[in-house]
Amino acid sequence: MVELRGQVRSFLAEELDRFPGRPDIINGFDAAFSREVGRRGWIGASWPETLGGRGWSAESRFVILEEMLAAGAPVLAHMVGERQFGPLLLRYGTDEQRRRFLPRIASGEAFFCIGMSEAAAGSDLSALETRASPVTGGYRLSGAKLWTSLAHLADYAVVLCRTSEHANPREGLTQLVVNLRSSGVVVAPIHNIVGEHEFNQVFFDDVLVPEGDVVGTVGEGWRQALSELTSERGGPDRYLSNFPLLARITEQLRLDPDPRASETIGRLVAHLSALRSLTEDVAVALAAGREPSLEAAIVKASGAAFEQDLLESLRPLMPPGEDRRALLAEATLRGPSYSIRGGTREVLLSLIGDRVLRA
Ligand SMILES: Cc1cc2nc3c(=O)[nH]c(=O)nc-3n(C[C@H](O)[C@H](O)[C@H](O)COP(=O)(O)OP(=O)(O)OC[C@H]3O[C@@H](n4cnc5c(N)ncnc54)[C@H](O)[C@@H]3O)c2cc1C
């Protein structure tokens, strides 16, 4: 593992400058970077070799991702495919779907986005209104998804939609892989608070989705989506968004020690270490086919708190006139989104509390 970590680190030290992403505080979307990482076998490294992976351990995949995030590498192009769609297919997909999608995700050639939230369905996801009706050869999909990150750059969306009506709204949902170049798909931009085109509203107008692009079992979408959310919530991307800022300020403080700083840095590192240890356990549990949804919710809730605390804590330690102030300002504007994306803080804390009280 030490050798792999060293290889990833030297690749990033030597090559990262070639990719014009946004290092420091966000992980940019860079298809060329993802292809380069894929060429080295570092996307989906824990997947079987027959499906484009390397057959390596969950820890190896964790080490690669951790190094990439810590360096602020532009990993977003392959992030969703590797983090949650690949694992979803390994768990619920058909052999044909695995052969069709996984090697292209692993080589950095097929990019995915998450089609869950809608205007009237965020925390209350089962209230979603996007519907698909069976037709000859597949389904016709109509509706709209909201806050779909990077849909304008992705090739496919994994869409949670309603395929039948039930008294319990969590029944009758189905997951479809939708090719975003299909006729009837319109991707409309939404700019975030820093003015960047990050989100979209994605409209589906009678889009034909072939039968072979239904993921798993029709009507079982709720259970499958919860499993997908465990992969989405429990990884190091939930607390390393601003790690490069911490690393740089720590470097500066080493050169010019500030007695106010030790306790702050100590507190942040203690929190980071606990998150890291829990996240490694989540990675191992997921790879073993278990579903550590409670642990993943803890990583997500606690990771968001860490990310927000980091920004507030580093602010007074920032040397005056330092150009990192602009980055800190931007990170601060993004800060509130950490406890909304992937499930809000309130919803995750309720979920954790419920699980504990029902145990
Ligand atoms: C940066 C970012 C990226 C995102 N990317 C995607 C994406 O790619 N794909 C996608 O599908 N979605 C995406 N989302 C959407 C995200 O999943 C939703 O914003 C989130 O689930 C909350 O839903 P909502 O915005 O509808 O808020 P609401 O659910 O309306 O919540 C509003 C407030 O009410 C609180 N609340 C709601 N229900 C409860 C409850 N039962 N108990 C206590 N409090 C409650 C919430 O905590 C929140 O504070 C993204 C969001 C962000 C910020």
Side-chain angles (χ1 to χ4, degrees), residues 20-339:
R22 286 283 319 274
D24 290 307
I25 56 164
I26 52 164
N27 305 105
F29 185 112
D30 188 324
F33 177 79
S34 292
R35 279 195 292 275
E36 184 62 40
V37 175
R39 212 175 54 74
R40 286 161 194 268
W42 290 344
I43 302 176
S46 59
W47 301 346
E49 286 182 72
T50 48
L51 295 170
R54 305 285 291 260
W56 289 351
S57 64
E59 288 93 336
S60 307
R61 190 238 161 201
F62 183 89
V63 162
I64 295 166
L65 180 58
E66 186 178 55
E67 286 301 321
M68 297 269 168
L69 294 166
V75 294
L76 290 187
H78 62 266
M79 176 71 98
V80 171
E82 195 208 26
R83 180 183 68 190
Q84 59 197 85
F85 184 58
L88 186 75
L89 282 190
L90 284 169
R91 188 149 195 184
Y92 297 106
T94 62
D95 283 343
E96 186 279 324
Q97 288 171 334
R98 292 177 190 141
R99 285 196 304 273
R100 182 154 48 107
F101 290 115
L102 268 61
R104 289 166 61 216
I105 297 172
S107 59
E109 283 164 304
F111 304 133
F112 289 76
C113 63
I114 306 165
M116 293 196 194
S117 307
E118 299 184 5
S123 304
D124 186 11
L125 187 58
S126 64
L128 60 82
E129 290 173 352
T130 296
R131 283 182 162 68
S133 315
V135 292
T136 309
Y139 283 80
R140 287 276 176 191
L141 177 71
S142 289
K145 293 292 171 181
L146 189 59
W147 311 124
T148 322
S149 301
L150 304 170
H152 56 299
L153 300 171
D155 303 300
Y156 301 92
V158 180
V159 172
L160 184 66
C161 62
R162 180 159 300 289
T163 44
S164 58
E165 307 297 329
H166 298 265
N168 178 353
R170 295 178 177 182
E171 291 172 22
L173 300 177
T174 299
Q175 288 185 300
L176 305 177
V177 194
V178 181
N179 185 331
L180 292 168
R181 318 275 180 270
S182 305
S183 165
V185 176
V186 173
V187 178
I190 301 175
H191 291 80
N192 65 16
I193 194 168
V194 297
E196 201 172 57
H197 181 184
E198 176 183 7
F199 313 109
N200 300 275
Q201 188 161 20
V202 184
F203 298 92
F204 305 100
D205 181 11
D206 211 25
V207 175
L208 180 62
V209 181
E211 183 79 48
D213 289 346
V214 174
V215 180
T217 308
V218 171
E220 287 292 313
W222 181 258
R223 190 168 55 84
Q224 294 178 196
L226 291 188
S227 161
E228 189 188 334
L229 282 170
T230 300
S231 307
E232 181 180 343
R233 289 171 174 163
D237 47 312
R238 293 309 176 188
Y239 53 86
L240 289 178
S241 309
N242 297 302
F243 181 84
L245 208 51
L246 174 63
R248 276 161 207 245
I249 290 182
T250 307
E251 276 307 309
Q252 275 164 358
L253 289 167
R254 278 200 190 109
L255 299 174
D256 182 15
D258 175 344
R260 291 172 308 160
S262 300
E263 189 189 336
T264 303
I265 298 295
R267 179 168 48 76
L268 291 171
V269 170
H271 194 167
L272 187 63
S273 306
L275 279 165
R276 186 165 182 257
S277 165
L278 184 58
T279 309
E280 282 174 318
D281 292 348
V282 169
V284 170
L286 282 170
R290 295 195 297 276
E291 194 140 320
S293 56
L294 174 62
E295 293 80 356
I298 295 172
V299 169
K300 170 70 183 66
S302 186
F306 171 77
E307 304 242 60
Q308 290 166 344
D309 177 27
L310 179 91
L311 297 174
E312 288 312 310
S313 302
L314 292 183
R315 191 186 316 282
L317 303 181
M318 196 67 109
E322 171 62 40
D323 67 352
R324 300 264 166 255
R325 280 187 171 273
L327 291 168
L328 182 60
E330 183 177 333
T332 302
L333 286 174
R334 291 177 188 276
S337 74
Y338 301 143
S339 50

